[in-house]
Amino acid sequence: MVAMDASDSRLSGDRRHLGRLVFLCLIALLAVLAVLSLGHGASGVSGLAVIGDLLTGRDVAQTDRVILLNIRLPRLLTGILVGAALAVSGAIMQGLFRNPLADPGLLGVSAGASLGAIAAIVLGGALPAAIAGLVGWHLVPLAAFAGSWIAMLTLYAIATRQGRTSVATMLLAGIALAAMIAALSGLIIYRADDQQLRDLTFWSLGSLAGSSWTKLIAAGPVILIALTLAPAMSRGLNGLALGEAAAAHVGIRVQRVKRASVLITAAATGAAVAISGAIGFVGIVVPHLLRLITGPDHRWLLINSGLLGAAVLIAADMIARSIVVPAELPIGIITAMMGGPFFMWVLLSNRKVLDG
Amino acid sequence: MIFSKNFSTIPRAIAASLLATVLLNTPSHADPHPEARRILSVGGSITEIVYALGQQDRLIARDTTSSFPEEALALPDVGYMRQLSAEGVLSVDPDLILSEEGAGPPETISLLQEAGVPFEIMPSGMGPHGLVNKVRAIAETLGVPEAAEQTVNTLEADLANLQAAVASDSGEKKKVLFVLFVTDGRINASGTGTAADEIIHMAGAENAVQDFEGYKQLTDEAITAAAPDIILTMTRGGPAEELDPKAEELLAMPSISTTPAGRDGNIITMNGLYLLGFGPRTGKAGLELHDAIYGNS
């Protein structure tokens, strides 16, 4: 433990204050974005005026109330949770695989979720009426969540022998599994008709437009629990950065860290993908950017990733729903358009650090 | 205060979504809304019928599929009918939403209902009888049932012309292959149960592929085996234009060149909404298609 503490302080060092500064800045940024997001929208209803009226007990038109409380508020909360889930999962995966290019997709989470969603969209009509009536339109989110977990557990089982999980096997098997899942998805897509193909395209681009209290109540607790547990991983992930053997020497229960990483990531990403479709780039870009600013110490990296991920997604959603009013764009288009060039710029301006 | 109101909406949201699931699965008879002055029309044929009924002054917005008549394009576009944004729709402040079946996503529909905007789903209007029903249903929902008469009369006259033309045909029915789009050299064609299948039948011809439902990609062999006399395809207009299958591109495909349609260069191209929309112009579209297939003029 003594050795671990020493390595902790070396890891953070003078960047400790930077981590706290970034944390405070991100809290402020998130608060500002949240107010903006509640305040403005396609309808021109002033969210803040409605909040004021609600607080002072004045009469509020039904439409205004629905726009604020049933559209913008659940959408804001969904954006915060999904953004945080994607970015924190990305940070954990990058730590676990010791690779800045890792994201939850490596565990087959995204591929599994896609397969579930595709199967539900294309084959859902063939379900017995009783089941279809029971799950209603929650069929696609449920199937996506189930798909992500089945893929992830399969991968974990493949990579685990005699109680030891090989991260390298998980990485390679993940690629093989993703290819197999893609083939299976292709087979199902082949059966899809024109209408279903359009639905698939929209799902694969992700959107917060379908946010609702119902979905938030179903998926929110899963994401919240995963996010609450995530900071406890910091020490273990910091230790893993030294290599598995060294980490074990300083008293880190390596197998436990791996298992927890996989479970937390699958819970957070699975639930996020289930309620908002596949939203790219947040999981890779956000932790990467923060690592360049505040260093690799996971004690700040995980928390700050959650905050920045939430802020990025809310900002992207505000753009998605205000750029083609009264219609809106899928948010995946915005995150890719914002994330791609930005990531490229970050990479080019940090080439020395990265190569060094 | 805010919290008590806030949380009381949650069980209602759940109840409303369950109710909406039931309602959306069984489109019921719509209530009349004669007072509605700010109507959002979702679906190309609905917009066309509202114009045909002379009620266009009450329209304030439309969806992307509403591309006829041209004046409709000047209205704000709330997006593709299956991907409507709840706040986007509310932002045009409608007091009635008239929609074809299949509008969504369901979350949006239930939010709109919570916001107190009536959302009325019109019958699909396939087949001559369904078409007349649809026009009447829209007129009744708009609270102007008498306005339907003239449109229905014109429509029935057009449909009667079409039936007369079909009845006067002698000889074998021609086989028509409807091509929705072509990707990577593969043809996506209409099976049974589609608007394309329906209009081909109404025009007195036979759908060349009847062994599956909906639109599917065909193999080269399936096209050869279907041996269509005519290839039917459509123009879309707007941003989807590049999806339009081009006649020369189709004729150059080896699978098509072996069919009677390919040998004789028989390709008919019509406007998508006109051909498949099942609106007030469908009788005329059917006759135009019939004449193009059987070579009368």
Side-chain angles (χ1 to χ4, degrees), chain A residues 40-45 51 54-58 62-63 65-67 69-73 75 133 136-137 190-195 197-199 202 207 209-215 217 321 324-328, chain B residues 1-2 5-6 9-10 12-14 16-18 20-21 24-25 76-80 82-92 105-108 110-111 114-116 180-181 188 213-219:
Chain A
H40 299 282
S43 66
V45 168
I51 292 176
L54 284 171
L55 287 174
T56 53
R58 246 172 288 169
Q62 173 72 358
T63 313
R65 180 200 300 267
V66 167
I67 286 176
L69 295 182
N70 292 7
I71 297 178
R72 288 191 200 160
L73 190 57
R75 189 167 180 155
W137 74 72
Y190 195 78
R191 286 182 48 119
D193 67 24
D194 192 43
Q195 218 56 275
L197 283 175
R198 290 199 193 213
D199 290 349
F202 279 114
S207 175
S211 305
S212 66
W213 286 114
T214 322
K215 281 187 181 176
I217 290 168
R321 61 195 168 89
V324 289
V325 165
E328 66 176 65
Chain B
M1 172 96 73
I2 179 173
K5 286 193 177 176
N6 183 353
T9 62
I10 296 167
R12 271 197 283 138
I14 297 170
S17 28
L18 290 175
T21 315
L24 289 179
N25 287 339
D77 176 1
V78 297
Y80 178 52
R82 293 170 75 85
Q83 283 297 320
L84 301 174
S85 140
E87 185 163 354
V89 168
L90 289 176
S91 76
V92 297
E107 298 90 335
T108 297
S110 83
L111 284 171
E114 278 171 54
L180 184 63
F181 55 82
N188 203 296
E213 266 185 52
Y215 296 94
K216 287 249 168 78
Q217 212 172 61
L218 291 188
T219 63

Side-chain angles (χ1 to χ4, degrees), chain A residues 194-337:
Chain A
D194 192 43
Q195 218 56 275
Q196 292 165 338
L197 283 175
R198 290 199 193 213
D199 290 349
L200 287 175
T201 311
F202 279 114
W203 187 88
S204 72
L205 289 171
S207 175
L208 297 182
S211 305
S212 66
W213 286 114
T214 322
K215 281 187 181 176
L216 202 55
I217 290 168
V222 179
I223 298 179
L224 268 181
I225 291 172
L227 289 178
T228 314
L229 294 175
M233 307 285 299
S234 311
R235 187 166 286 244
L237 290 173
N238 280 349
L240 272 188
L242 309 168
E244 284 192 27
H249 275 300
V250 296
I252 286 171
R253 297 159 84 170
V254 174
Q255 184 59 27
R256 205 184 214 182
V257 173
K258 289 181 193 165
R259 192 185 305 138
S261 298
V262 169
L263 289 178
I264 289 175
T265 307
T269 324
V273 173
I275 54 173
S276 59
I279 299 175
F281 263 101
V282 179
I284 283 197
V285 177
V286 167
H288 196 85
L289 177 68
L290 287 168
R291 204 178 294 103
L292 286 170
I293 300 172
T294 59
D297 185 351
H298 286 86
R299 281 176 304 180
W300 286 117
L301 187 62
L302 293 184
I303 294 171
N304 286 346
S305 289
L307 292 172
L308 185 57
V312 164
L313 211 61
I314 296 175
D317 186 48
M318 283 199 285
I319 297 174
R321 61 195 168 89
S322 58
I323 211 166
V324 289
V325 165
E328 66 176 65
L329 287 174
I331 196 170
I333 296 177
I334 310 291
T335 54
M337 278 198 306

Side-chain angles (χ1 to χ4, degrees), chain B residues 5-6 11 26 47 53 109 135 139 147 155 159-160 166 171 183 187 201 238 248 274 278:
Chain B
K5 286 193 177 176
N6 183 353
T26 50
T47 309
L53 296 173
I109 312 293
V135 174
L155 187 55
L159 290 168
V166 170
T183 42
I187 280 182
H201 280 290
E248 58 275 26
Y274 181 51
F278 281 87

Side-chain angles (χ1 to χ4, degrees), chain A residues 164-187:
Chain A
R164 292 200 64 239
T165 305
S166 160
V167 167
T169 308
M170 206 145 75
L171 193 79
L172 292 171
I175 292 168
L177 189 70
M180 287 191 284
I181 291 178
L184 203 54
S185 302
L187 197 64

